[in-house]
């Protein structure tokens, strides 16, 4: 059967389309490079402890106090856990101390995260933690510990972080300092 | 015979510049996505101080507008103005950074973004936080470099 119009067998030339995309990208790239900053900033909110607010209210929560002491590359985790046995009163607490030895590269933040995750499962309502770094600990390490304590966006741990300041930044118990 | 075959193949090889452009577009697309992902309108923290380096953090929270307190190896600054010496307060036992306290108290406390060089020991940061909270600062954020930074 004879076609009314001849069948077009020649393929369309794609080069002009590619050229327009390339031109658009070459225009976008300098614009982005001019307006962008190499540094993206992020904020880490710190709770400020005022006089009289240093001790959290003794409610019915399992964990009454949670502290992360940083001394050099050593980390000491202290938790005041409310006793739940029948003879225990509301004020009876047990201090649980866990020392996390450092790795060759620095503090063992993965183990710290594991321990904190266990505490978070024990008392999911608790959001508050106090971080007590030593005076010689660099800020970069403090920030790494804060990240470990706060957890990730998928698995948040303790989001209300207090950094020790003033008289509450005493030496860590059991460290011999 | 062998030479003739080679010559024939070279003669009929077709150049297709349109096809060579495809990988270039791919590369540019990847570059564009990478730049868009790391796009930031944040101004440089201390443009005249090349030695100043912020610590890195996994946080993705935006930095809110507030009074900027910078602690660098050279000094302590409030909104870019030098108020105190870092070396003095690093070596002395004063719990309060008097100049910082006075400047923040004059400003009426409020919100503060604390931008500390990554190498500064915590002893000085502790004094700064103590001074800020004594001056009546209500909200404190530590500013860090996001992981997505280039």
């Amino acid at each position: 059967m004879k076609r009314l119009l001849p069948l077009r067998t020649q393929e369309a030339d794609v080069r002009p389309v590619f050229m327009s995309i390339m031109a658009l990208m070459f225009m976008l790239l300098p614009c982005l490079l001019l307006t962008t900053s190499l540094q993206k900033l992020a904020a880490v909110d710190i709770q400020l402890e005022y006089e009289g607010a240093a001790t959290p209210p003794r409610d019915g929560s399992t964990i009454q106090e949670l502290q992360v002491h940083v001394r050099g590359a050593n980390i000491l985790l202290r938790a005041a856990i409310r006793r739940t046995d029948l003879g225990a009163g509301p004020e009876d607490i047990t201090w649980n101390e866990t020392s996390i030895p450092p790795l060759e590269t620095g503090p063992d933040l993965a183990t710290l995260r594991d321990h904190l995750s266990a505490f978070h499962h024990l008392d999911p309502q608790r959001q508050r933690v106090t971080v007590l770094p030593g005076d010689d600990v660099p800020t970069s390490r403090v920030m790494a510990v804060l990240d470990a304590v706060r957890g990730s966006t998928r698995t948040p741990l303790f989001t209300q972080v207090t950094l020790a300041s003033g008289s509450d930044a005493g030496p860590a118990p059991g460290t011999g300092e | 015979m062998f030479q003739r075959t080679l010559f024939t193949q070279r003669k009929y090889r077709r150049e297709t510049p349109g096809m060579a452009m495809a990988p270039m577009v791919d590369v540019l697309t990847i570059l564009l996505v990478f730049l868009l992902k790391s796009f930031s309108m944040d101004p440089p923290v201390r443009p005249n101080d090349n030695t100043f380096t912020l610590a890195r953090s996994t946080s993705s929270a935006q930095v809110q507008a507030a009074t900027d307190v910078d602690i660098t190896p050279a000094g302590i600054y409030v909104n870019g103005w030098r108020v105190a010496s870092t070396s003095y307060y690093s070596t002395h036992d004063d719990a309060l950074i008097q100049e910082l306290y006075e400047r923040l108290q004059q400003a009426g406390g409020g919100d503060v973004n604390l931008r500390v060089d990554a190498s500064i020991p915590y002893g000085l940061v502790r004094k700064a936080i103590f001074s800020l909270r004594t001056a009546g600062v209500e909200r404190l954020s530590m500013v860090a470099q996001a992981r997505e930074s280039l």
Side-chain angles (χ1 to χ4, degrees), chain A residues 95-152:
Chain A
W95 279 95
N96 183 328
E97 289 191 6
T98 311
S99 180
I100 303 170
L103 300 171
E104 287 180 2
T105 51
D108 191 354
L109 297 174
T111 308
L112 172 66
R113 215 173 285 123
D114 291 343
H115 283 294
L116 287 171
S117 185
F119 282 123
H120 188 65
H121 282 297
L122 193 66
D123 190 352
Q125 299 300 317
R126 186 171 182 90
Q127 299 294 314
R128 208 172 191 175
V129 65
T130 307
V131 178
L132 300 102
D135 279 357
D136 56 342
V137 176
T139 305
S140 54
R141 185 168 291 167
V142 175
M143 202 58 83
V145 172
L146 289 181
D147 283 345
V149 163
R150 289 160 53 88
S152 61

Side-chain angles (χ1 to χ4, degrees), chain B residues 8-15:
Chain B
T8 313
Q9 281 179 348
R10 191 172 295 167
K11 187 181 176 184
Y12 290 103
R13 186 183 294 163
R14 294 185 65 189
E15 294 293 331

Side-chain angles (χ1 to χ4, degrees), chain B residues 26-45:
Chain B
D26 291 347
V27 168
L28 279 175
T29 309
I30 291 166
L31 194 64
L32 203 64
V33 169
F34 176 71
L35 278 172
L36 283 171
K37 195 175 178 297
S38 57
F39 182 77
S40 167
M41 292 290 279
D42 298 327
V45 178

Side-chain angles (χ1 to χ4, degrees), chain A residues 31-114:
Chain A
C31 285
L32 277 173
L33 285 170
L34 280 173
T35 53
T36 196
S37 166
L38 300 180
Q39 208 171 46
K40 206 172 195 176
L41 301 180
V44 178
D45 287 335
I46 304 294
Q47 303 286 314
L48 287 170
E49 290 285 352
Y50 286 96
E51 295 300 324
T55 309
R58 299 250 170 189
D59 52 7
S61 60
T62 311
I63 298 174
Q64 297 286 308
E65 179 70 45
L66 190 58
Q67 299 175 347
V68 180
H69 296 258
V70 187
R71 294 292 180 273
N74 289 290
I75 294 175
L76 180 75
L77 193 56
R78 297 185 76 221
I81 299 169
R82 195 162 60 87
R83 286 173 55 187
T84 52
D85 52 277
L86 287 174
E91 295 295 317
D92 289 340
I93 56 167
T94 308
W95 279 95
N96 183 328
E97 289 191 6
T98 311
S99 180
I100 303 170
L103 300 171
E104 287 180 2
T105 51
D108 191 354
L109 297 174
T111 308
L112 172 66
R113 215 173 285 123
D114 291 343

Side-chain angles (χ1 to χ4, degrees), chain A residues 40-46 143-144 146-148 150-153 159, chain B residues 55-63 141-149:
Chain A
K40 206 172 195 176
L41 301 180
V44 178
D45 287 335
I46 304 294
M143 202 58 83
L146 289 181
D147 283 345
R150 289 160 53 88
S152 61
T153 47
T159 49
Chain B
R56 286 197 169 248
S57 171
T58 54
S59 172
S60 55
Q62 292 272 329
V63 178
S141 294
M142 280 191 81
V143 178
Q145 265 190 80
R147 294 278 183 203
E148 295 86 33
S149 294

